[in-house]
Amino acid sequence: MITIKDVEHVALLARLELSDEEKKMYTGQLNAILEYARMLNELDTDHIPPTAHVLPLKNVWREDQVGKHMPPEEVLANAPDREGQFFKVPRIV
């Protein structure tokens, strides 16, 4: 069970100023969350494999394919500064 003292302690650590009404509200909400977690502990999960994600994840990238590219002159047409076929940017030290 979460007590008002626990909520006050967490609020102090988070540098939050809570009214008495907020302390009571958060105490009730946190206890409801813990009660729900206790209900989940009653479920039989012996035959359920552990998972890291609900959906199977796979690499969704496409294969690299050679395609048409823009000519360097067109790419650099709006560049504020350039050096040859490259963008020129200020040196950052």
Side-chain angles (χ1 to χ4, degrees), residues 21-73:
E21 184 179 301
E22 289 173 320
K23 291 175 189 176
K24 289 178 187 174
M25 179 185 69
Y26 291 133
T27 301
Q29 288 178 349
L30 290 170
N31 280 320
I33 292 169
L34 291 177
E35 184 58 36
Y36 188 76
R38 279 191 207 102
M39 287 175 29
L40 293 175
N41 284 335
E42 296 172 6
L43 296 174
D44 179 23
T45 58
D46 292 338
H47 305 292
I48 299 174
T51 58
H53 198 277
V54 180
L55 301 173
L57 297 176
K58 63 178 185 174
N59 186 354
V60 294
W61 297 340
R62 65 170 174 79
E63 292 294 321
D64 286 339
Q65 298 174 354
V66 176
K68 294 182 180 179
H69 300 283
M70 294 175 64
E73 288 302 318

